Amino acid sequence: EVQLVESGGGLVQPGGSQRLSCAASGFTFSSSWMTWVRQAPGKGLEWVANIKEDGSEIHYVDSVKGRFTISRDNAKSSLYLQMISLRAEDTAVYYCASLHRSGHMYGWGQGTLVTVSS
Amino acid sequence: DIQMTQSPSTLSASVGDRVTITCRASQSISSWLAWYQQRPGKAPKLLIYKASTLESGVPSRFSGSGSGTEFTLTISSLQPDDFATYYCQQNNYYPYTFGQGTKLEIK
């Protein structure tokens, strides 16, 4: 069974930085694309970024390009999201998810809340 | 970007009802569509992928259909656990995009 556990959320000031982590188990992490999806309070789901199994292919939604960096460490079965220049509109629960090659998200973490506020 | 539009935004129904949620894409996405269920305070859960393939472990009362720009999620006989919010998601083009969600409420 896919298990994903996010950490690293919290309160951060506008313009600040935060690094999210996602620990994976129950599947072959190194053979799976991975993704981050976020959900602002009371709002719908928004895809943020994808990363290929070996990290050689990465995609971002335009609103985070140049500010967010997705990465992975297959030796540690871990996924990361480095966020800089944070804005109030980045406030959301951030979910990591395992991504099938065909693009559907088949396993989800419980999410970690990032609040950008002064 | 591909826009995904779900209808209705809210749906009131009773246990045992058959319900259908529609998702329309702003351009053709072939069959690259997934459906997710999200209960309050919980992570989304995959129900259907490639428009009509039921994820392992998901009850057979859930079904999906469609291709191109119009898709449907049908629940054949609502159970108490099914009252939740449902999202469609296209994964044919970047950026991946979700519908705005359909909240299924108890009548």
Side-chain angles (χ1 to χ4, degrees):
Chain A
E1 181 189 352
V2 173
Q3 291 201 356
L4 298 164
V5 179
E6 302 94 337
S7 60
L11 177 63
V12 59
Q13 291 193 337
S17 301
Q18 197 84 341
R19 188 195 196 210
L20 306 183
S21 299
C22 172
S25 60
F27 66 109
T28 306
F29 180 79
S30 59
S31 298
S32 181
W33 281 72
M34 295 295 295
T35 189
W36 288 98
V37 174
R38 66 183 179 182
Q39 187 170 35
K43 302 297 184 183
L45 301 169
E46 180 184 34
W47 169 78
V48 174
N50 280 359
I51 185 168
K52 195 176 178 179
E53 297 98 325
D54 61 358
S56 63
E57 188 175 334
I58 287 173
H59 301 272
Y60 297 100
V61 68
D62 280 352
S63 59
V64 308
K65 280 181 184 174
R67 300 188 301 121
F68 289 13
T69 302
I70 188 172
S71 63
R72 63 192 297 158
D73 185 336
N74 286 344
K76 295 182 178 179
S77 295
S78 293
L79 178 71
Y80 306 101
L81 187 67
Q82 177 69 51
M83 306 182 292
I84 66 171
S85 303
L86 282 162
R87 307 165 179 165
E89 54 265 36
D90 296 318
T91 294
V93 173
Y94 285 74
Y95 295 101
C96 72
S98 50
L99 191 66
H100 191 273
R101 282 191 182 90
S102 64
H104 57 270
M105 298 149 193
Y106 64 92
W108 293 73
Q110 84 288 351
T112 188
L113 175 63
V114 174
T115 303
V116 184
S117 174
S118 55
Chain B
D1 297 1
I2 307 289
Q3 288 200 355
M4 306 300 293
T5 304
Q6 290 181 230
S7 59
S9 294
T10 306
L11 179 57
S12 296
S14 301
V15 172
D17 284 353
R18 177 185 180 91
V19 298
T20 297
I21 299 169
T22 298
C23 177
R24 289 186 173 88
S26 59
Q27 66 186 74
S28 177
I29 56 169
S30 185
S31 296
W32 299 108
L33 184 103
W35 289 97
Y36 302 89
Q37 176 194 65
Q38 187 178 34
R39 298 190 177 100
K42 300 296 185 182
K45 173 189 172 184
L46 176 66
L47 299 175
I48 303 276
Y49 61 93
K50 289 184 186 175
S52 61
T53 303
L54 194 68
E55 170 72 342
S56 175
V58 173
S60 58
R61 63 181 180 273
F62 291 91
S63 63
S65 65
S67 66
T69 61
E70 187 152 337
F71 302 86
T72 59
L73 172 70
T74 299
I75 310 173
S76 60
S77 178
L78 277 172
Q79 300 302 302
D81 270 354
D82 300 339
F83 292 95
T85 299
Y86 293 84
Y87 293 94
C88 61
Q89 175 234 339
Q90 68 83 18
N91 43 63
N92 195 36
Y93 297 103
Y94 284 112
Y96 289 173
T97 44
F98 289 87
Q100 81 279 13
T102 295
K103 186 174 182 180
L104 182 50
E105 299 180 328
I106 300 174
K107 186 184 286 184

